[in-house]
């Protein structure tokens, strides 16, 4: 059941009409059972002062592209109400004219465009209005006999509005339904969602919760006992399938485009759902609410177990794209002008035995698609036991998918340079590792950091933000690297750039060096780099097998080599020996992997404040030289300290150098003795 989160004290503290509106809108937006990812909208009719200081009636309504969960006053633009109400007398208003009218009547000309459903909010004669996509109501809205179910559940308290595309037509249809049923307390929009209202924010919000829970209780009585799926597959088995899928999805993208990012949901309920015998029928049954189409497409790609091979997935994606093209060709003529086909890549994939996958240009888009997919699966399953599931027609779906006002929700900002790239950084919680992760994230990459378990790793992941991830392990242990790379694939679908950075400056004179100390240094400073490289290469090859063609770069490996590899320091044999071996590993991998298009490069850095060069070590070295710490750290040709961010920038530069491999870039401010050439 959906919890009622209302607090009279918090509501009172929110202030007047707009404060109350923002308070209850956030309650709605914070519950994914009510709205998902910017869906739904809320409004309040009140008075405001215009630029001349005169009082005018306005409608504050959610701005397009804003999210109810975090809405503020700036996201609730005020539109003069009277001109909007005059539109009730019109038979039709073109979309572009409506947008111009809305903007013309904004009190603040710099405010965002009001929601496309603003007119229905304006036409309903109530002070507070809420529109939600509550999961139980989406089941009801898509029942073939939705009106009969409404009568059974609510008597005459909720009226059904036939499906109409949002905008002027929906506002007119909603108003007509309300006028014919003036005593109702809510509207159910067929195939769309739920409208409630009231004289105050509390009464409208309470109806949202009460109505949704009434439907939920009705559905609960009809649900069969849940299926018990087979045990979840090990991550090591899932990873190559996801990597192959990631590559196969590229068939729906331009040849040089970055591979999509994936988001896997593999809980027990989802695994049970993707084992259903009627999965293909549900996949082609349509969306549960029309605005989902811009995130997921209208059809879900189904991959049964026997199709979860590189060849099988490529064929399935090819067939999917062909069906989408046929759907596009069958509907484009109605647009009355030229229209280009959008990216035909599926946003949702159901993998039998594994789970459901959201796919998108970045981790956020994949997460949104996966969340929508989870809700859609529940709606369709509940619908089948409550009377059926019937979505909108292909023609209506196409009109929504290619509607400029709907596509505007996605924005048109230029994609960041590394959007879609998945970057794994070992030693990612350390100074250089975290700076590197931040530099790649700033350019749109999805980051997966690997480090020792604990608070440091947790803080590092949290600092990067919600759509990044991490994995804790001792990378020197057998199998640790393969498990970490598989965990990355399970989180994002694959890998594009490995930054093999972890290491420790282990000291000791070579003449008296303990054998175990040297072996442990090799485990960390060489063998872990080798193990991560091998695991990454296997994943790159799985992605390439799924793609089945050359196109975007299949993968990269970047090493943090250290100047010790070429310029040994007294007492640093235990560190320099494995680093020199890693230097050779870089060159050998570049030689072997070049024909596959996999690039391998590295950084030769020196004197970076980090876990390798601690304050104590800096103090000892500077004291031994009879200089202060600052002078010691700037002991290079540029007489300037080299920071972790400079190393990070060099890693990014190498990652973007498309025709560079087998190269080691020196980042030390200038040290002739350590120069490679």
């Amino acid at each position: 059941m959906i919890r009622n989160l209302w607090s009279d004290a918090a509501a009172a503290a929110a202030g007047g009409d707009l404060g109350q509106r923002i308070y209850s809108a956030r309650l709605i937006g914070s519950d994914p059972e009510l709205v998902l990812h910017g869906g739904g909208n809320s409004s309040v009719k009140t008075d405001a002062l215009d630029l001349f200081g005169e009082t005018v009636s306005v409608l504050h309504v959610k701005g397009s592209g804003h999210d109810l969960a975090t809405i503020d006053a700036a996201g609730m633009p005020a539109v003069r109400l009277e001109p909007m109400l005059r539109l009730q007398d019109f038979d039709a208003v073109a979309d572009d004219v409506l947008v111009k009218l809305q903007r013309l009547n904004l009190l603040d000309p710099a405010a965002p465009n009001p929601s496309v459903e603003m007119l229905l909010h304006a036409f309903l004669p109530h002070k507070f209005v809420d529109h939600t996509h509550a999961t139980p109501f989406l089941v009801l809205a898509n029942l073939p006999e939705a009106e009969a179910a409404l009568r059974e559940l609510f008597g005459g308290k909720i009226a059904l509005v036939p499906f109409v595309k949002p905008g002027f037509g929906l506002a007119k249809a909603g108003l007509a339904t309300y006028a014919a049923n003036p005593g109702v307390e809510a509207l159910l929009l067929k195939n769309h969602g739920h409208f409630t209202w009231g004289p105050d924010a509390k009464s409208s919000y309470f109806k949202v919760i009460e109505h949704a829970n009434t439907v939920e209780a009705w559905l609960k009585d009809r649900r069969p006992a849940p299926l018990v799926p087979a045990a979840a597959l090990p991550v090591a088995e899932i990873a190559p399938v996801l990597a192959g899928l990631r590559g196969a999805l590229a068939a729906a993208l331009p040849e040089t485009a970055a591979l999509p990012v994936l988001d896997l949901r593999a809980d027990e309920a989802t695994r049970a759902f993707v084992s259903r015998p009627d999965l293909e029928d549900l996949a082609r049954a349509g969306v549960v609410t029309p605005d989902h189409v811009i995130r997921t497409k209208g059809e879900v790609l189904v991959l049964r177990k026997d199709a979860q091979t590189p060849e099988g997935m490529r064929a399935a994606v090819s067939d999917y794209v062909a069906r989408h093209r046929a759907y596009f060709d069958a509907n484009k003529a109605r647009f009355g002008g030229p229209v280009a086909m959008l990216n035909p890549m599926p946003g949702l994939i159901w993998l039998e035995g594994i789970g459901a996958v959201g796919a998108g240009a970045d981790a956020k888009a994949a997460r949104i698609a996966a969340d929508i997919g989870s809700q859609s699966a529940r709606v369709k399953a509940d619908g089948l036991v409550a009377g059926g599931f019937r979505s909108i027609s292909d023609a209506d779906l196409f009109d929504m998918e290619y509607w400029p006002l709907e596509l505007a929700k996605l924005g048109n900002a230029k994609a960041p340079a590394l959007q879609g790239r998945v970057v794994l950084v070992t030693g990612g919680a350390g100074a250089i590792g975290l700076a590197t992760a931040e530099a790649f994230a700033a350019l749109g990459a999805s980051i997966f950091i690997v480090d020792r378990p604990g608070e440091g790793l947790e803080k590092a992941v949290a600092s990067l933000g919600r759509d990044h991830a991490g994995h804790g392990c001792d990378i020197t242990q057998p199998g640790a690297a393969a498990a970490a790379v598989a965990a990355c694939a399970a989180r994002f679908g694959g890998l594009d750039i490995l930054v093999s950075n972890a290491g420790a400056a282990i000291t000791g004179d070579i003449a008296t060096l303990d054998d175990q100390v040297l072996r442990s240094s090799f485990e960390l400073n060489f063998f872990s780099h080798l193990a991560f490289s091998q695991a990454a290469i296997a994943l790159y090859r799985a992605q390439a097998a799924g793609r089945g063609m050359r196109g975007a770069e299949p993968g990269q490996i970047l090493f943090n080599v250290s100047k010790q590899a070429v310029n040994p320091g007294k007492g640093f044999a235990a560190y320099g020996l494995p680093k020199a071996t890693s230097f050779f590993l870089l060159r050998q991998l570049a030689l072997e992997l070049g024909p596959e298009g996999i690039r391998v490069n590295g950084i030769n850095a020196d004197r970076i404040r980090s876990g390798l060069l601690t304050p104590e070590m800096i103090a000892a070295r500077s004291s031994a030289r009879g200089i202060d710490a600052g002078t010691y750290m700037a002991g290079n040709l540029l007489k300037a300290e080299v920071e972790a961010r400079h190393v990070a920038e060099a890693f990014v530069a190498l990652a973007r150098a498309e025709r560079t491999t087998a190269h080691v870039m020196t980042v030390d401010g200038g040290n002739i003795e350590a120069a490679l050439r």
Side-chain angles (χ1 to χ4, degrees), residues 54-308:
E54 297 177 356
T55 300
V56 293
S57 295
V58 299
L59 175 77
H60 284 279
V61 65
K62 188 189 87 168
S64 183
H66 284 257
D67 192 328
L68 290 181
T70 56
I71 201 80
D72 56 14
M76 284 275 183
V79 185
R80 291 177 180 84
L81 184 58
E82 191 275 334
M84 298 300 105
L85 294 179
R86 291 176 62 184
L87 294 176
Q88 294 179 24
D89 298 328
F90 284 62
D91 293 327
V93 178
D95 290 338
D96 59 337
V97 173
L98 180 57
V99 171
K100 290 175 183 177
L101 283 170
Q102 290 175 343
R103 293 217 60 82
L104 182 65
N105 287 284
L106 285 169
L107 284 197
D108 179 0
N113 283 340
S115 164
V116 295
E117 286 152 343
M118 178 275 292
L119 270 190
L120 182 51
H121 286 260
F123 289 178
L124 290 170
H126 298 280
K127 187 175 182 69
F128 286 84
V129 178
D130 288 302
H131 169 45
T132 59
H133 298 154
T135 305
F137 266 102
L138 291 180
V139 178
L140 206 61
N142 286 286
L143 291 178
E145 302 298 332
E147 193 163 18
L150 264 185
R151 285 195 301 270
E152 176 185 343
L153 283 161
F154 297 101
K157 292 195 298 184
I158 299 180
L160 182 68
V161 181
F163 176 77
V164 181
K165 188 178 75 173
F168 181 80
L170 176 60
K172 290 282 284 188
L175 178 61
T177 301
Y178 179 81
N181 302 273
V184 296
E185 61 184 36
L187 297 175
L188 175 64
L189 277 54
K190 189 76 169 71
N191 304 114
H192 189 158
H194 180 222
F195 265 81
T196 63
W197 51 75
D200 50 55
K202 181 176 181 178
S203 59
S204 183
Y205 173 75
F206 271 52
K207 287 174 189 171
V208 170
I209 304 301
E210 176 193 340
H211 293 173
N213 281 336
T214 297
V215 182
E216 173 60 24
W218 182 75
L219 293 171
K220 185 177 180 181
D221 290 340
R222 286 158 174 74
R223 289 183 188 123
L227 295 173
V228 179
L233 292 175
V235 171
E237 294 183 30
I238 293 172
V241 176
L242 293 179
L245 171 61
R246 190 171 181 239
L249 289 172
L253 300 172
E255 185 173 337
T256 59
L259 299 180
V261 179
L262 308 184
D263 190 318
L264 170 67
R265 306 298 166 88
D267 56 276
E268 187 171 285
T270 301
R271 287 187 286 110
F273 180 84
V274 298
S275 298
R276 293 177 63 117
D278 59 351
L279 205 58
E280 287 79 4
D281 293 337
L282 291 176
R284 299 186 187 183
V287 294
V288 302
T289 188
D291 57 339
H292 286 179
V293 69
I294 61 172
R295 308 285 188 177
T296 66
K297 297 298 181 195
E299 179 187 343
V300 183
L301 174 63
V302 175
L303 292 171
R304 294 291 187 181
K305 291 179 181 178
D306 59 1
Q308 293 171 16

Side-chain angles (χ1 to χ4, degrees), residues 474-487:
D474 178 351
I475 64 173
T476 66
Q477 294 301 303
V485 171

Side-chain angles (χ1 to χ4, degrees), residues 385-668:
V385 298
F389 177 87
R390 184 179 297 163
S391 185
I392 60 177
S393 68
D394 277 358
D396 286 331
L397 186 71
F398 184 88
D399 289 348
M400 283 294 295
E401 184 175 2
Y402 284 84
W403 187 30
L405 295 188
E406 190 68 16
L407 290 172
K409 295 179 181 179
L410 298 177
N412 56 5
K414 183 179 179 181
L418 295 179
Q419 176 178 282
R421 271 65 170 192
V422 178
V423 180
L424 187 155
V425 184
T426 68
I432 294 175
L434 184 55
T436 300
E438 291 169 344
F440 277 103
L443 292 177
S446 300
I447 308 302
F448 192 86
I449 61 177
V450 178
D451 213 307
R452 290 183 293 270
E455 185 179 3
L457 175 60
E458 293 169 4
K459 285 185 176 180
V461 173
S463 73
L464 292 170
R466 120 174 246 189
D467 289 310
H468 305 285
H471 176 80
C473 66
D474 178 351
I475 64 173
T476 66
Q477 294 301 303
V485 171
C488 179
R491 176 61 185 84
F492 294 120
L495 179 63
D496 298 292
I497 302 170
L498 167 65
V499 182
S500 196
N501 163 73
I506 299 170
T507 61
D509 292 334
I510 195 165
T512 58
L513 188 60
D514 182 80
D515 183 65
Q516 189 54 45
V517 170
L518 181 59
R519 289 180 182 277
S520 65
S521 182
F522 261 91
E523 289 293 344
L524 176 60
N525 293 309
F526 170 70
F527 283 109
S528 72
H529 295 275
L530 173 62
F532 270 96
S533 299
Q534 291 172 328
I537 292 164
L539 208 59
Y540 295 159
R541 287 172 171 168
Q543 290 171 171
R547 188 158 193 158
M549 61 179 181
R550 288 188 63 85
E553 185 173 71
Q556 293 185 49
I557 300 172
L558 298 170
F559 289 105
N560 190 341
V561 177
S562 170
K563 75 101 178 180
Q564 289 292 330
V566 294
N567 180 214
K570 182 175 172 56
F572 277 86
Y575 181 55
L577 285 169
K579 280 296 186 179
T581 312
S582 294
F583 192 173
F584 182 85
L585 173 65
L586 181 160
R587 295 287 175 84
Q588 188 68 32
L589 286 173
L591 176 69
E592 295 180 3
L593 300 175
E596 298 178 47
I598 299 173
R599 297 194 293 118
V600 187
N601 294 293
I603 298 295
N604 171 13
D606 189 28
R607 296 193 189 183
I608 313 296
R609 295 181 192 267
S610 66
L612 298 181
L613 190 56
T614 63
E616 295 77 17
M617 188 179 295
I618 293 170
R621 287 188 175 185
S622 57
S623 176
R625 289 164 173 77
I627 56 176
D628 62 79
T631 302
Y632 169 73
M633 293 301 293
N636 52 51
L637 297 179
L638 298 177
K639 302 301 181 186
E641 180 175 344
V642 181
E643 301 173 9
R645 66 182 178 89
H646 299 123
V647 180
E649 290 165 1
F651 274 128
V652 169
L654 284 173
R656 300 185 67 184
E658 296 180 357
R659 293 296 181 267
T660 299
T661 193
H663 178 61
V664 177
M665 181 186 292
T666 299
V667 185
D668 62 4

Side-chain angles (χ1 to χ4, degrees), residues 324-416:
H324 186 84
R325 184 171 294 281
Y327 150 83
F328 175 81
D329 290 341
N331 287 280
K332 66 180 180 180
R334 290 183 297 101
F335 258 52
V339 55
M341 189 174 79
L342 299 171
N343 164 18
M345 186 187 79
L348 282 173
I349 303 94
W350 291 338
L351 291 160
E352 183 184 20
I354 294 177
V357 171
D362 57 21
K364 179 181 178 181
R367 168 171 55 84
I368 290 173
D371 286 346
I372 288 173
S374 294
Q375 183 189 56
S376 299
R378 292 163 53 205
V379 168
K380 290 179 179 181
D382 276 349
L384 290 185
V385 298
F389 177 87
R390 184 179 297 163
S391 185
I392 60 177
S393 68
D394 277 358
D396 286 331
L397 186 71
F398 184 88
D399 289 348
M400 283 294 295
E401 184 175 2
Y402 284 84
W403 187 30
L405 295 188
E406 190 68 16
L407 290 172
K409 295 179 181 179
L410 298 177
N412 56 5
K414 183 179 179 181

